[in-house]
Amino acid sequence: MVMSYSGTYSMFKIKVKAKKLWKNKDIALVHYAAEYAVKRLGLNYSPIPIIIRLKGGLGEDFGYCIDLEDKICISISKNGNYLKTLFYELEHARQYVDDELDLEHTHAMWKGHLYKRKYKDYYNEPWEVKARKVEQKFYRAFTKKILDF
C-alpha cells in the first residue's frame, strides 16, 4: 500500500513494507501525523520527495532518515512509539532540506560547523538534541489534537 500527499512543491509517500504488522488504522494514523508534521516543519515546500517506509520491528532499531540527494528516505519500525519516531525523523528530514545538516560516516556539517562524529556521544550531538525536542513538542501537540478531536 502506498499513500501519498502532494504539497505545493514536494511530495511525501508512505510505503508499507510489513503489511501484516501495520494495520490500516496504524497506517492512517501515521499518514495523519506525517501531514501534521510536514506542514509544521515547512516540508510541504521541500524541493525533493520524502519517502516514509513503514517496516517491521527488528531489535532496537526505531527508525532512521537518510538524505540521498534526490530524495529523503525515512524508515519507521513498529518498535517503540512509532509516532515519536516519525516526528523525530521528520525533523532530521527538515534539517537536510534546509541545509542545516550533512551527515557522513566520520563527520557532520551542522549549521556550517564541522563536527567529528563520536558515536559514543550520539545522544549529545546537536542535531540529535534538536530532533528530540521537536519529537516531544510535536508528540504532545499531536496527541492533544487527536484527543480533543
Side-chain angles (χ1 to χ4, degrees), residues 81-96:
N81 186 325
Y82 59 85
L83 288 180
K84 284 185 174 184
T85 303
L86 175 68
F87 295 142
Y88 178 90
E89 299 303 347
L90 281 168
E91 167 57 16
H92 281 320
R94 187 207 56 79
Q95 292 168 356
Y96 291 137

Side-chain angles (χ1 to χ4, degrees), residues 92-124:
H92 281 320
R94 187 207 56 79
Q95 292 168 356
Y96 291 137
V97 168
D98 290 348
D99 286 329
E100 288 183 3
L101 178 62
D102 184 16
L103 283 179
E104 300 297 334
H105 184 67
T106 59
H107 66 279
M109 288 295 291
W110 169 248
K111 295 186 175 183
H113 299 285
L114 181 64
Y115 287 82
K116 184 175 180 181
R117 298 203 61 199
K118 300 174 186 170
Y119 290 95
K120 64 181 180 188
D121 290 336
Y122 165 84
Y123 195 79
N124 295 316

Side-chain angles (χ1 to χ4, degrees), residues 19-122:
K19 292 178 175 61
K20 289 183 180 179
L21 198 58
W22 289 90
K23 307 295 183 213
N24 286 339
K25 65 179 180 66
D26 297 324
I27 296 167
L29 185 59
V30 168
H31 195 270
Y32 186 50
E35 286 180 6
Y36 172 87
V38 161
K39 183 176 180 181
R40 278 151 190 80
L41 291 168
L43 290 171
N44 50 327
Y45 297 105
S46 171
I48 59 175
I50 299 169
I51 310 300
I52 302 169
R53 186 178 69 161
L54 304 180
K55 62 181 187 156
L58 301 171
E60 296 180 14
D61 176 28
F62 293 112
Y64 57 84
C65 180
I66 300 174
D67 180 2
L68 298 174
E69 302 298 326
D70 63 335
K71 63 186 169 189
I72 294 174
C73 295
I74 295 174
S75 186
I76 304 295
S77 174
K78 198 68 171 12
N79 290 342
N81 186 325
Y82 59 85
L83 288 180
K84 284 185 174 184
T85 303
L86 175 68
F87 295 142
Y88 178 90
E89 299 303 347
L90 281 168
E91 167 57 16
H92 281 320
R94 187 207 56 79
Q95 292 168 356
Y96 291 137
V97 168
D98 290 348
D99 286 329
E100 288 183 3
L101 178 62
D102 184 16
L103 283 179
E104 300 297 334
H105 184 67
T106 59
H107 66 279
M109 288 295 291
W110 169 248
K111 295 186 175 183
H113 299 285
L114 181 64
Y115 287 82
K116 184 175 180 181
R117 298 203 61 199
K118 300 174 186 170
Y119 290 95
K120 64 181 180 188
D121 290 336
Y122 165 84

Side-chain angles (χ1 to χ4, degrees), residues 127-143:
W127 52 92
E128 300 296 342
V129 171
K130 173 70 172 171
R132 283 193 307 278
K133 286 180 182 177
V134 169
E135 166 196 308
Q136 292 300 320
K137 176 182 174 186
F138 280 26
Y139 183 73
R140 280 192 302 270
F142 182 73
T143 53

